[in-house]
Amino acid sequence: MAGGLYAPIRPQPSPQSTSFTSKLLLLLTLLPLSLAAFAFLLQWRGGAVNDPITRWSPDQSHLFPGMDVTSPLPTLSHSSSSDCSLLARGSGGGGSSSGVFPYYRDWKFDFSADLKPKICITTTTSAGLEQILPWMFYHKVIGVATFFLFVEGKAASPEVSKVLESIPGVKVIYRTKELEEQQANSRIWNETWLSSFFYKPCNYELFVKQSLNMEMAIVMARNFGMDWIVHLDTDELLHPAGAREYSLRQLLLDVPGDVDMVVFPNYESSVERDDIKDPFTEISMFKKNYDHLPKDTYFGLYKESTRGNPNYFLTYGNGKSVARIQDHLRPNGAHRWHNYMKTPKEIKLEEAAVLHYTYAKFSDLTSRRDRCGCKPTKEDVKRCFMLEFDRAAFIIASTATEEEMLSWYREHVVWTDKTVNLKLMRKGILTRIYAPMVIVQGLRESGVFSSVIASAPATLSKDKFLASVESSNSSRGAAMESVARKSGKSKESHATARKALEAVDNAIHEAAVPPLSPPGFDGESQF
């Protein structure tokens, strides 16, 4: 009976069951140890597995500025930003980097002949070195090989142009009388798809000039063996989000071969202070493009997003496109490309963007005013500016006192309400992007810009000096003379050609794509 009370309730396992359990426990113990050992072998630097980063930086002396142990750059931390992981240093020992950031082998960012695809940027600019150098070297970092700079004004001055001409991969084109004459005989000049932009000054004049320069840049890009071309202003940075590495080269490498053009929707800078001096390193908040937002979000928060301005964006909202270099390529205005012989296949990127730093500095109000000679009236500014905010800003800058201008700028441009900012951030209208800020700051701290300036020749050659002086002193007059040809002074000389082309071109060539505002809430904009 006692034996029955103390007998085990569960039957004793058989010897076979005990043996199976022991083997199972042994297997569960050895499996994670084996996996850990395998992982260790994969990470072992001395093994046969190559670290992809060594293709770009074979030793620590070639690290991109800000990636080395001693640089102050790694102390910058914005853990909430999705793009920071692209730039973060590796956590392993020995100061090794495990990021996927395509930095290059020396501060000159000279490209090897086999780097594909080859990308070029063309621009028309009158900016100074303080804007052009950060813009240019940022794009060199993300994979741009060549720059065609059509310079005038400050950019064409001897002290600026001698630096630009000393940089590898840069071709400087001055706005001389010879250039004007060459463009006056170009195909675009005598076609009708750009005709609605003739006869008008300021922004319209610039738009025509950009298109003519883009036509020349296509020819130069082919001669230089380029694969892709993009037209950008020097207040715009390409943001290659969505690529496996922070690289425009990688982004375009993944584009299917039958695609002719790739559209980058633009994001607009949203400044949080009225005293910004260096937009590329002081601005991290941007307003997303309509194309990257759910329609319900865009229209549901439209009024809060515009803050009393005429449109969702202050300026344009239709992005910029990158075109594959091929036969019959032509510009279609400053924002798009086209082809004389076919309708190009175009795709729009879902993550990548053009970051547009528009009206980022308070001085941008007066600089735009000083470039245009229009009267500050609602009717006359329509001749000068295509977009409503530009018109309003010009009138304010031309009629208000400095104090009134600053008040207007704070009300219409500066995002001072942190509650609204946080709400729009949470809803996805606003976003933080730190990569360009970190890259440009790293370049500056490493001495890239000062080294470029210091290593430039003391003077230009005689021919280049004369060309730059002529361009600097008379680019305004040359530009207006160029436009004058289209405003009646030499209309007769081209009348026959225009009549012959008009019937054909209007039928087969769509009109140039101007800078367009994003979709409005009610289809109309009131200011």
Side-chain angles (χ1 to χ4, degrees):
M1 191 70 172
L5 288 172
Y6 294 101
I9 297 174
R10 297 179 180 176
Q12 291 293 325
S14 65
Q16 293 84 353
S17 177
T18 303
S19 175
F20 175 77
T21 303
S22 300
K23 290 179 180 179
L24 182 60
L25 290 172
L26 180 62
L27 178 63
L28 292 175
T29 303
L30 291 176
L31 184 60
L33 291 175
S34 301
L35 291 174
F38 181 65
F40 175 77
L41 288 173
L42 287 178
Q43 296 183 40
W44 181 43
R45 298 292 182 189
V49 180
N50 292 324
D51 179 8
I53 209 68
T54 60
R55 296 198 306 268
W56 298 98
S57 181
D59 58 64
Q60 292 297 307
S61 65
H62 295 141
L63 286 173
F64 175 76
M67 302 293 281
D68 59 287
V69 178
T70 58
S71 171
L73 194 57
T75 61
L76 296 175
S77 61
H78 303 280
S79 58
S80 62
S81 172
S82 60
D83 59 29
C84 274
S85 61
L86 296 168
L87 303 172
R89 287 175 59 245
S91 57
S96 63
S97 298
S98 61
V100 285
F101 187 64
Y103 42 93
Y104 298 102
R105 286 184 166 81
D106 55 48
W107 65 264
K108 290 185 178 180
F109 299 90
D110 213 355
F111 291 79
S112 60
D114 59 348
L115 189 62
K116 293 288 185 178
K118 292 185 177 180
I119 308 164
C120 64
I121 289 179
T122 180
T123 191
T124 300
T125 183
S126 59
L129 291 177
E130 72 284 351
Q131 182 169 332
I132 296 176
L133 290 183
W135 171 85
M136 181 187 297
F137 277 89
Y138 167 84
H139 287 106
K140 277 180 172 283
V141 166
I142 64 172
V144 177
T146 304
F147 297 80
F148 302 119
L149 306 182
F150 290 82
V151 296
E152 51 190 78
K154 189 175 182 180
S157 64
E159 59 270 19
V160 173
S161 56
K162 71 178 182 182
V163 175
L164 299 177
E165 292 205 356
S166 72
I167 302 172
V170 175
K171 173 67 175 175
V172 179
I173 305 98
Y174 300 96
R175 181 153 289 277
T176 61
K177 291 181 179 178
E178 289 74 19
L179 177 68
E180 296 287 343
E181 291 172 359
Q182 184 179 354
Q183 291 185 337
N185 294 315
S186 70
R187 182 169 181 174
I188 284 181
W189 190 268
N190 292 305
E191 291 177 338
T192 59
W193 56 269
L194 196 61
S195 60
S196 63
F197 299 91
F198 294 129
Y199 317 114
K200 300 175 184 178
C202 203
N203 274 18
Y204 289 89
E205 171 193 333
L206 175 61
F207 191 78
V208 172
K209 197 185 306 179
Q210 288 172 329
S211 299
L212 292 168
N213 291 345
M214 290 165 69
E215 183 182 39
M216 294 187 68
I218 292 172
V219 177
M220 290 187 286
R222 298 195 71 153
N223 293 337
F224 277 69
M226 296 291 107
D227 299 304
W228 293 89
I229 185 170
V230 57
H231 172 264
L232 283 182
D233 297 324
T234 52
D235 63 350
E236 298 172 327
L237 299 179
L238 289 170
H239 175 54
R244 285 173 290 173
E245 57 188 32
Y246 196 76
S247 165
L248 179 64
R249 186 190 65 83
Q250 184 62 58
L251 194 69
L252 295 178
L253 196 63
D254 295 337
V255 172
D258 63 335
V259 172
D260 302 303
M261 289 156 204
V262 180
V263 175
F264 286 68
N266 63 295
Y267 289 10
E268 192 171 80
S269 61
S270 300
V271 300
E272 299 171 82
R273 308 193 323 267
D274 60 18
D275 60 348
I276 298 291
K277 302 299 181 186
D278 184 9
F280 294 155
T281 60
E282 295 182 60
I283 296 173
S284 64
M285 191 166 77
F286 295 86
K287 188 187 289 187
K288 284 187 178 181
N289 193 285
Y290 167 82
D291 289 323
H292 285 180
L293 290 169
K295 290 184 179 180
D296 291 346
T297 300
Y298 178 84
F299 289 110
L301 295 167
Y302 186 85
K303 290 187 177 180
E304 289 181 83
S305 302
T306 56
R307 303 184 312 145
N309 288 322
N311 296 108
Y312 174 78
F313 278 163
L314 301 182
T315 50
Y316 79 90
N318 55 327
K320 292 288 181 75
S321 72
V322 183
R324 196 186 296 273
I325 301 295
Q326 55 186 292
D327 292 341
H328 312 298
L329 179 67
R330 72 162 173 86
N332 198 32
H335 293 257
R336 291 291 188 274
W337 306 85
H338 210 277
N339 192 292
Y340 281 111
M341 301 304 293
K342 67 176 182 179
T343 300
K345 182 175 181 180
E346 185 178 85
I347 63 171
K348 190 171 290 185
L349 297 176
E350 296 181 356
E351 296 181 67
V354 172
L355 306 180
H356 186 201
Y357 295 77
T358 186
Y359 288 98
K361 298 185 291 185
F362 174 62
S363 60
D364 288 344
L365 282 179
T366 52
S367 63
R368 290 169 189 262
R369 174 199 66 193
D370 297 341
R371 290 198 302 265
C372 295
C374 288
K375 298 176 182 178
T377 64
K378 288 185 178 181
E379 287 305 315
D380 201 54
V381 292
K382 291 179 181 179
R383 296 189 307 111
C384 290
F385 302 99
M386 304 179 199
L387 300 173
E388 293 179 69
F389 187 86
D390 286 333
R391 297 168 182 171
F394 179 82
I395 292 174
I396 288 294
S398 303
T399 60
T401 65
E402 187 82 6
E403 185 177 346
E404 289 170 337
M405 277 194 292
L406 185 57
S407 177
W408 186 91
Y409 183 77
R410 287 170 177 164
E411 179 183 355
H412 292 277
V413 180
V414 185
W415 292 74
T416 55
D417 191 328
K418 294 183 179 180
T419 302
V420 172
N421 296 355
L422 182 59
K423 176 183 178 180
L424 296 180
M425 193 82 68
R426 287 172 174 170
K427 295 292 185 179
I429 297 287
L430 297 176
T431 187
R432 293 284 182 186
I433 299 175
Y434 296 104
M437 174 187 291
V438 174
I439 292 171
V440 174
Q441 186 64 25
L443 289 165
R444 177 170 285 111
E445 291 178 358
S446 68
V448 169
F449 308 141
S450 57
S451 295
V452 169
I453 295 171
S455 62
T459 59
L460 291 171
S461 67
K462 181 180 179 181
D463 291 341
K464 291 178 179 177
F465 176 80
L466 293 175
S468 65
V469 170
E470 177 187 355
S471 178
S472 179
N473 291 339
S474 63
S475 62
R476 180 75 190 161
M480 293 309 295
E481 179 185 348
S482 170
V483 174
R485 293 192 182 98
K486 282 296 183 182
S487 59
K489 291 186 179 180
S490 61
K491 197 179 284 187
E492 291 182 5
S493 62
H494 297 292
T496 304
R498 285 182 61 87
K499 286 178 181 178
L501 289 166
E502 195 168 45
V504 178
D505 287 353
N506 282 341
I508 64 173
H509 297 314
E510 61 185 49
V513 176
L516 299 173
S517 295
F521 184 73
D522 56 1
E524 297 182 357
S525 298
Q526 300 295 330
F527 194 68

